[in-house]
Amino acid sequence: MGVFSKKSPLIIDLLIENGLTHSNSSGAFFSSIEEKNKMYDAIKTPKYVKSGLNQETAIEIHKLLNEAIEKNQLFTNSELTLVELAESLEVNPNYLSQVINTFEEKNFYDYINSKRVELFLKLVAIPENKKYTILSLAFDCGFNSKYSFNKHFKKITNQTPSEYLNSLKINFS
């Protein structure tokens, strides 16, 4: 049976009961009943009905993705593509895209850019990094232009980088 079969909620319930985790902010596979219900809805979507990806493989791909992203910070490569990421994980690019869309509820580029913004937020919180410009830190996080950085930062935080830093009273060169 495919990822979006009627058996999928049983797999999700088993994951929750066994405390399996991924790298979301709370450390839990599902941080709430609302998040669990969103996953049920995603699994039922007709978009991937004909996909050959099974439940167990989807979960394993998601685990590999999280480990690679967190450990190796692959998203800092400004030229990273879905195909390159899939090759590094040794998975089918279509399956990886399906996993990102389903588990992260984002497309590949939004997912990668959210990881870049997360890293940027961590970097600006380190006092020693005040000697760098905002843009140089953004480039270190994988953004390849000021426009792209500003666009994705505002999309994710609802603030421009300057507004965010001003709200924290952080001054950069």
Side-chain angles (χ1 to χ4, degrees), residues 72-86:
N72 302 326
Q73 293 189 334
L74 299 174
F75 56 87
T76 59
N77 172 0
S78 64
E79 303 297 319
L80 183 67
T81 65
L82 176 68
V83 171
E84 289 170 342
L85 182 56

Side-chain angles (χ1 to χ4, degrees), residues 9-171:
L10 297 175
I11 295 293
I12 292 169
D13 288 336
L14 286 172
L15 289 169
I16 294 166
E17 288 169 14
N18 291 306
L20 294 178
T21 62
H22 74 87
S23 61
N24 74 3
S25 59
S26 69
F29 189 85
F30 296 104
S31 59
S32 68
I33 296 298
E34 181 180 296
E35 192 174 337
K36 177 182 169 183
N37 289 337
K38 280 184 188 177
M39 188 53 65
Y40 284 160
D41 292 342
I43 287 171
K44 293 177 191 173
T45 187
K47 182 176 181 180
Y48 297 115
V49 168
K50 294 183 181 181
S51 171
L53 182 62
N54 66 45
Q55 300 155 11
E56 293 80 13
T57 303
I59 291 166
E60 185 60 31
I61 290 171
H62 189 242
K63 181 180 172 186
L64 286 171
L65 172 67
N66 283 322
E67 288 172 0
I69 289 294
E70 296 305 319
K71 183 178 178 184
N72 302 326
Q73 293 189 334
L74 299 174
F75 56 87
T76 59
N77 172 0
S78 64
E79 303 297 319
L80 183 67
T81 65
L82 176 68
V83 171
E84 289 170 342
L85 182 56
E87 285 174 359
S88 74
L89 299 176
E90 298 179 356
V91 300
N92 180 302
N94 293 330
Y95 290 170
L96 178 59
S97 178
Q98 180 179 342
V99 165
I100 293 170
N101 288 321
T102 303
F103 286 82
E104 301 299 329
E105 298 180 331
K106 298 173 184 169
N107 67 36
F108 169 76
Y109 289 105
D110 286 343
Y111 173 69
I112 293 300
N113 286 315
S114 71
K115 293 298 181 183
R116 291 172 177 161
V117 169
E118 272 180 39
L119 178 59
F120 177 83
L121 295 174
K122 289 176 185 173
L123 292 178
V124 298
I126 300 170
E128 296 83 41
N129 287 337
K130 288 184 181 181
K131 63 185 174 191
Y132 303 110
T133 65
I134 293 171
L135 193 55
S136 68
L137 291 175
F139 287 152
D140 287 345
C141 294
F143 289 102
N144 59 10
S145 74
K146 181 179 180 179
Y147 171 80
S148 176
F149 169 63
N150 286 332
K151 175 183 160 188
H152 293 288
F153 190 93
K154 182 152 187 164
K155 182 178 181 179
I156 291 165
T157 66
N158 293 318
Q159 293 180 307
T160 66
S162 296
E163 290 170 341
Y164 176 82
L165 294 172
N166 287 338
S167 74
L168 298 178
K169 296 180 173 65
I170 298 175
N171 295 317

